[in-house]
């Protein structure tokens, strides 16, 4: 329960709300008609025209705390500050637990009272409010909520933690260390993304803002959904100070798939596709050669809602793509990034048991991902750095999954084992919106 909130325990069974709480929690609580004083027990009634507020410390009411009009619940160190803020009555003590799917965003059962749901919602944001916070700050606290920081999983293991890039990324090496920062993002339609502006309503596109905040050297984009005739106009609308801008579009199905690779410095060479007509019509792969490695940006085919492309994916595409990467590794180490369309382990998907027959988590796709890539010498950089971190990179639009953090980890940076020790940081940026995927990043020490 946040500071500035007091649970009223009285004879009335009705939920009591201020107008602020009615606005904030209209979905979680029933609005009770009538004057507030008429709903309060006699010992709690307030003088007309006066507003009182109680702020409390961190201790919860207990047997040793006496009730009084100024401290009706027995909160330690209660003090009057100027506004009444009430939450529904309940005789149970609020329990501060680790946020899980059931405690946060899942709809409570019908048997759970609306008052209890409201109290649970307030308890969730209590960590953001200190003892000096009043009810006016509650709205700001709700807006600051980070759903990706909640560990949402149907079968969480005791050692798992929720990945938080604000506190789990390593400090950059000292000045003078030669670093290369790579980023990848499935934008799910570049035209639409370029129209999105952040909450500050600035003129900069989300990609330009990402470039300013991350200062990346190379940006790989997947699922651009552009046609070749539109590329020149689009690529001139952002990151004009980057020397290299390379695009590939689907020719078999217009406005579908598509990839791009934008580099601050021009690569030594660029290759498009796998060199195989059977697989190159959808514009899925771009390879950039740099001095010490190959960077491959890929948008791996989705197996389809009815798994109509599962056989193609696992028996044709994956083996052909794996062979292509092996040939590159004969010359230089490889960095593979992009939307690889596979949640490899159960930790990489919020509901593994419910998605055994869903594209991206079938046994066939996961076994193929393991045999064609991981067992061929490529290492999953994020999982190597964070073996127990739950970090999703994709949240479906249709199910409204992102606010509830019901996600999948489909986007990767895989590297040849020979350069694995050069990885300084592999991370996700779940706070960046604009797509159903979030950007991911890799920092290499050269």
């Amino acid at each position: 329960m946040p500071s500035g909130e007091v649970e009223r325990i009285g004879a009335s069974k009705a939920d009591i709300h201020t107008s602020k709480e009615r606005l904030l929690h209209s979905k979680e609580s029933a609005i009770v008609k009538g004057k507030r004083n008429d709903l309060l027990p006699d010992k709690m009634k307030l003088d007309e025209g006066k507003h009182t507020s109680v702020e409390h410390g961190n201790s919860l009411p207990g047997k040793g705390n006496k009730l009084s009009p100024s401290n009706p619940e027995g909160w330690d160190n209660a003090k009057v500050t100027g506004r009444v803020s009430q939450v529904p009555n309940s005789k149970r003590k609020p329990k501060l637990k680790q946020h899980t799917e059931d405690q946060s965003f899942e709809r409570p059962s019908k048997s759970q009272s609306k008052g209890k749901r409201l109290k649970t919602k307030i308890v969730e944001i209590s960590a953001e409010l200190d003892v000096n916070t009043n009810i006016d700050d509650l709205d700001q606290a709700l807006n600051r909520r980070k759903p990706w920081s909640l560990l949402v999983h149907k079968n969480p293991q005791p050692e798992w933690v929720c990945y938080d890039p604000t506190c789990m990324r390593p400090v950059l090496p000292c000045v003078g260390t030669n670093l290369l920062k790579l980023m990848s993002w499935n934008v799910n339609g570049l035209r639409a993304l370029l129209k999105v502006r952040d909450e500050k309503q600035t003129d900069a596109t989300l990609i330009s803002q990402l470039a300013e905040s991350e200062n990346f050297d190379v940006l790989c984009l997947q699922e651009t959904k552009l046609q070749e005739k539109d590329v020149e106009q689009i690529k001139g609308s952002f990151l004009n100070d980057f020397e290299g801008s390379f695009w590939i579009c689907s020719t078999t199905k217009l406005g579908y798939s598509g990839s791009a690779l934008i580099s601050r410095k021009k690569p030594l060479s660029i290759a498009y596709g796998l060199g195989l007509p059977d697989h190159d019509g959808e514009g899925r792969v771009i390879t950039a050669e740099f001095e010490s490695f190959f960077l491959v940006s890929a948008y791996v085919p989705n197996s389809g809602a009815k798994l109509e492309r599962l056989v193609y994916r696992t028996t044709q595409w994956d083996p052909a793509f794996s062979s292509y990467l092996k040939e590159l590794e004969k010359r230089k180490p490889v960095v593979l990034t992009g939307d690889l369309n596979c949640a490899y382990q159960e930790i990489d998907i919020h509901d593994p048991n419910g998605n055994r027959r869903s594209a991206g988590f079938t046994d066939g796709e996961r076994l193929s991902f393991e045999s064609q890539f991981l067992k061929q010498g490529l290492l999953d950089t994020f999982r190597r750095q964070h073996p127990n971190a739950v970090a999703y990179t994709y949240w479906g639009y249709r199910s409204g999954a992102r606010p509830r953090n019901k996600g999948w980890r489909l986007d990767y940076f895989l590297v040849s084992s020979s350069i694995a020790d050069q990885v300084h940081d592999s991370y996700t940026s779940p706070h960046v919106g604009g797509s159903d995927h979030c950007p991911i990043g890799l920092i290499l020490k050269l």
Side-chain angles (χ1 to χ4, degrees):
M1 182 176 294
S3 304
E5 297 292 349
V6 174
E7 180 184 350
R8 298 294 189 183
I9 303 177
S12 174
K13 294 183 180 179
D15 294 344
I16 304 171
H17 302 278
T18 64
S19 59
K20 181 73 173 181
E21 289 164 338
R22 292 180 184 181
L23 177 62
L24 291 175
H25 305 290
S26 58
K27 293 184 179 180
E28 283 78 25
S29 58
I31 297 178
V32 180
K33 296 182 179 180
K35 295 182 178 180
R36 182 169 53 200
N37 261 16
D38 296 337
L39 301 175
L40 290 170
D42 291 340
K43 65 177 182 178
M44 295 183 183
K45 288 188 176 181
L46 308 173
D47 294 336
E48 291 292 328
K50 295 183 180 180
H51 298 280
T52 306
S53 153
V54 178
E55 292 185 352
H56 58 77
N58 294 328
S59 59
L60 298 175
K63 295 181 179 179
N65 297 327
K66 296 182 180 180
L67 301 179
S68 67
S70 62
N71 193 13
E73 287 189 350
W75 296 98
D76 292 339
N77 304 320
K79 58 181 179 181
V80 176
T81 59
R83 184 189 295 265
V84 165
S85 171
Q86 299 157 334
V87 294
N89 59 321
S90 173
K91 294 184 179 181
R92 294 184 179 181
K93 301 175 185 178
K95 297 180 180 180
L96 301 179
K97 295 183 178 180
Q98 182 181 2
H99 301 313
T100 65
E101 181 181 15
D102 292 335
Q103 292 170 323
S104 54
F105 295 107
E106 284 298 299
R107 184 181 298 277
S109 63
K110 294 182 179 180
S111 61
Q112 185 179 13
S113 70
K114 294 180 179 179
K116 184 175 180 180
R117 279 186 283 167
L118 172 57
K119 185 166 68 173
T120 301
K121 187 72 72 174
I122 294 176
V123 166
E124 287 174 5
I125 64 169
S126 61
E128 298 183 45
L129 305 176
D130 58 30
V131 295
N132 296 317
T133 305
N134 57 41
I135 189 61
D136 291 329
D137 296 321
L138 187 58
D139 188 41
Q140 296 180 12
L142 287 170
N143 289 335
R144 288 196 303 269
R145 290 192 61 188
K146 304 170 183 176
W148 43 265
S149 66
L150 302 178
L151 202 166
V152 180
H153 200 280
K154 288 288 188 179
N155 186 31
Q157 301 303 304
E159 65 275 14
W160 290 0
V161 296
C162 192
Y163 176 73
D164 188 344
T166 63
C167 61
M168 295 176 69
R169 292 185 60 185
V171 177
L172 289 175
C174 60
V175 178
T177 304
N178 193 11
L179 300 175
L180 185 69
K181 180 177 284 190
L182 313 173
M183 295 204 75
S184 177
W185 193 4
N186 179 322
V187 293
N188 190 21
L190 186 57
R191 283 183 178 276
L193 183 78
L194 293 176
K195 295 177 182 178
V196 177
R197 297 296 185 267
D198 68 357
E199 58 185 10
K200 298 179 182 179
Q201 296 297 313
T202 62
D203 292 332
T205 65
L206 291 181
I207 290 181
S208 298
Q209 294 174 42
L210 184 66
E212 182 178 355
S213 62
E214 293 291 339
N215 192 30
F216 52 74
D217 297 292
V218 183
L219 174 65
C220 301
L221 302 177
Q222 300 88 40
E223 205 173 358
T224 56
K225 297 183 179 180
L226 297 180
Q227 298 183 38
E228 290 180 349
K229 64 182 181 66
D230 301 321
V231 168
E232 288 300 322
Q233 176 187 358
I234 293 295
K235 75 178 186 179
S237 62
F238 63 96
L239 303 183
N240 292 321
D241 55 335
F242 282 53
E243 293 182 4
S245 183
F246 310 97
W247 302 73
I248 184 171
C249 302
S250 172
T251 56
T252 57
K253 184 178 179 180
L254 299 182
Y256 173 73
S257 188
S259 300
L261 189 150
I262 306 167
S263 177
R264 193 177 297 276
K265 293 184 178 181
K266 194 171 182 178
L268 299 178
S269 67
I270 287 288
Y272 300 95
L274 304 181
L276 300 172
D278 290 343
H279 304 303
D280 290 344
E282 295 179 351
R284 294 184 176 275
V285 177
I286 298 180
T287 302
E289 180 185 4
F290 293 93
E291 291 183 4
S292 58
F293 66 94
F294 285 103
L295 174 61
V296 181
S297 173
Y299 177 37
V300 172
N302 188 296
S303 294
K306 298 181 180 180
L307 302 181
E308 61 271 15
R309 301 192 79 186
L310 177 60
V311 174
Y312 166 73
R313 159 77 184 273
T314 57
T315 65
Q316 298 182 51
W317 168 271
D318 282 356
F321 190 30
S322 178
S323 297
Y324 173 77
L325 297 175
K326 290 177 188 175
E327 289 300 315
L328 292 179
E329 279 196 302
K330 292 178 180 179
R331 298 162 56 190
K332 292 180 181 180
V334 168
V335 175
L336 168 62
T337 187
D339 178 1
L340 304 189
N341 259 319
C342 180
Y344 173 54
Q345 297 175 307
E346 291 196 356
I347 193 175
D348 297 321
I349 182 172
H350 78 280
D351 183 10
N353 291 334
N355 286 283
R356 298 290 179 187
R357 293 291 297 167
S358 298
F361 195 66
T362 63
D363 290 343
E365 290 166 305
R366 295 165 63 201
L367 288 173
S368 179
F369 185 84
E370 179 181 49
S371 62
Q372 299 293 346
F373 305 108
L374 299 184
K375 286 190 175 180
Q376 299 302 321
L378 295 177
L379 301 180
D380 179 353
T381 58
F382 182 87
R383 189 56 65 211
R384 185 172 186 259
Q385 182 177 339
H386 302 285
N388 296 313
V390 176
Y392 305 132
T393 64
Y394 164 79
W395 304 263
Y397 278 143
R398 294 180 181 178
S399 58
R402 195 159 192 170
R404 298 178 291 166
N405 200 29
K406 291 185 172 184
W408 304 49
R409 188 170 75 98
L410 301 177
D411 304 82
Y412 297 79
F413 271 99
L414 305 183
V415 302
S416 298
S417 57
S418 59
I419 60 171
D421 290 338
Q422 294 177 229
V423 174
H424 175 72
D425 188 16
S426 184
Y427 62 97
T428 69
S429 298
H431 58 285
V432 179
S435 170
D436 51 0
H437 291 250
C438 74
I440 61 173
L442 184 77
I443 300 178
L444 282 175
K445 295 180 288 187
L446 300 179

